[in-house]
Amino acid sequence: MPGYLIRSVILEGADALLRSHGQRPAVLARRAGLPPAALGDPDQRVPAAAVLRFFALASDAAGLPDFGLRLARNARLAALIGPLWVLLRNARNVRQLCDELVDNFDLYSDAALVGLTPLPGGRAALLSWSTTQGQELQELQMAEFSLAVLAAELRVRLGRDWQPQAVLFRHARPAGTLHLHRAVFGDDLRFNQDVNALLLDGDTLDTPLTPRSAAARALASRLVRIEEQRESPHAVAHNAEAVIRALMPYAPCTLAAVAEALGVAPRTLQLHLQREGTAFARLRDAVRADLAGKFLHDSRLGAAEIGEILGYADPTSFSRAFRRWNGNALRRMRRPGTKP
């Protein structure tokens, strides 16, 4: 289901959880911009931005800093992404499963991005999740929910005792105990990081899986390609944004680098983006603005650290860009208790 709508099955369990903590789920749904009926009907199409708002509102109202993790305990990737899961279940190994998810996630929704970024010097990689530009800044609960669902799917394939090598969160360490975080992800929890991601070692990625059959995989591939024909008019910009988000914390995010990752010439990428009504510099700027807002809202990284992640040579350049994006000085946008 391409676009910025997702199935309301992602809300399953929220009604009971909130009621058990003295809340009125329908009221919170309306405040978030969701139809209250979506809490009980898993097949409604609802705005992804409203779901992000609902997760954040629900966490605050119920006093549950681990709301996303609690909701993820009963969520299944198959129910969330529908037909795309048929393709994943026929992957030959974990690396191919991750690649298929990355390559086809936009068939589920354009409101988030999944990436698999190899780490230098080894076979390990980061399986990352992030909202796209234009969504809510408050992605903390959804980030933890999404990583927990991905970890649960891998645990089904790799055994109940499997844990990722580490888990990275862009947001600051939540208040209170991390008991549920450790139960879901293991002990290596890293906050205030560049990305939201599961760190998967090479042995995990190379673990063979048992696909149903070659015929089943071929059928699943055809089904996915049929869906892909109903391509978004902004498909190239969406793919370029995914690469920009993956590259930005680790390497110079130039037009040439992004074009190389997409397998096209820089001029070709420019022309495609122009046809879709944008340009590379504008797209990169929009991603920087989006990430800056998320880091400032959810992490405790200092402005200089955020500017460095976003590719600015000095804090002054970052501050100038931030004022251009938001019309306010950076120091006025910081959450209380964070570094200037």
Side-chain angles (χ1 to χ4, degrees):
M1 183 180 52
Y4 296 98
L5 299 177
I6 55 177
R7 290 180 62 229
S8 55
V9 67
I10 198 170
L11 303 170
E12 192 167 5
D15 187 273
L17 177 58
L18 289 169
R19 289 184 187 279
S20 71
H21 284 78
Q23 299 303 308
R24 298 165 63 190
V27 173
L28 292 172
R30 290 192 189 94
R31 284 178 58 194
L34 290 171
L39 294 168
D41 179 356
D43 289 319
Q44 290 196 24
R45 271 46 175 172
V46 293
V51 174
L52 283 161
R53 284 194 295 272
F54 177 78
F55 270 54
L57 286 170
S59 171
D60 291 342
L64 295 173
D66 55 3
F67 177 82
L69 292 184
R70 290 176 183 240
L71 213 57
R73 286 186 293 191
N74 296 316
R76 295 293 177 266
L77 186 64
L80 295 175
I81 64 176
L84 177 53
W85 184 79
V86 178
L87 184 60
L88 304 187
R89 73 197 287 259
N90 286 286
R92 290 187 295 272
N93 56 36
V94 172
R95 191 182 302 274
Q96 186 179 56
L97 182 151
C98 294
D99 284 336
E100 297 282 18
L101 180 63
V102 169
D103 290 344
N104 298 291
F105 191 78
D106 60 329
L107 298 178
Y108 164 65
S109 177
D110 291 331
L113 295 166
V114 177
L116 187 67
T117 306
L119 296 181
R123 296 178 296 130
L126 292 174
L127 181 61
S128 62
W129 177 94
S130 176
T131 53
T132 53
Q133 55 174 303
Q135 306 303 309
E136 288 291 301
L137 289 180
Q138 301 181 71
E139 68 172 15
L140 186 158
Q141 296 301 325
M142 186 61 75
E144 295 193 345
F145 173 90
S146 301
L147 292 182
V149 171
L150 291 173
E153 179 68 18
L154 292 174
R155 200 169 290 120
V156 169
R157 316 300 182 99
L158 299 167
R160 60 186 301 176
D161 295 329
W162 177 84
Q163 299 284 17
Q165 185 173 337
V167 182
L168 287 65
F169 301 102
R170 200 151 50 200
H171 53 265
R173 185 187 189 278
T177 177
L178 295 178
H179 173 74
L180 186 54
H181 287 75
R182 293 193 174 96
V184 172
F185 298 119
D187 292 330
D188 196 343
L189 305 169
R190 308 177 189 180
F191 298 96
N192 293 306
Q193 299 297 306
D194 299 342
V195 294
N196 303 307
L198 304 178
L199 175 56
L200 306 179
D201 60 68
D203 289 341
T204 292
L205 288 165
D206 293 338
T207 300
L209 303 175
T210 306
R212 297 298 184 269
S213 69
R217 178 168 178 77
L219 175 60
S221 296
R222 285 199 299 273
L223 289 172
V224 168
R225 299 303 161 239
I226 289 170
E227 286 293 318
E228 197 169 22
Q229 289 172 8
R230 293 182 282 186
E231 193 175 73
S232 162
H234 304 293
V236 174
H238 183 83
N239 291 338
E241 179 182 343
V243 173
I244 290 169
R245 286 177 182 272
L247 284 179
M248 193 167 285
Y250 306 107
C253 200
T254 63
L255 172 65
V258 173
E260 181 180 5
L262 291 172
V264 299
R267 179 58 180 160
T268 301
L269 177 57
Q270 286 178 316
L271 290 173
H272 279 298
L273 292 174
Q274 186 177 3
R275 291 191 194 105
E276 294 182 8
T278 188
F280 178 79
R282 191 187 313 163
L283 187 61
R284 182 177 59 186
D285 205 43
V287 171
R288 281 172 163 166
D290 178 68
L291 289 176
K294 288 181 169 67
F295 279 124
L296 288 168
H297 187 275
D298 285 330
S299 82
R300 292 194 173 87
L301 296 175
E305 295 168 291
I306 297 171
E308 184 177 357
I309 290 170
L310 299 181
Y312 288 96
D314 57 77
T316 301
S317 299
F318 174 45
S319 297
R320 192 181 303 120
F322 191 88
R323 183 184 289 274
R324 174 167 52 82
W325 297 329
N326 298 282
N328 284 312
L330 194 152
R331 63 179 178 275
R332 295 183 180 178
M333 300 292 288
R334 290 248 59 165
R335 202 174 52 170
T338 54
K339 291 191 286 184

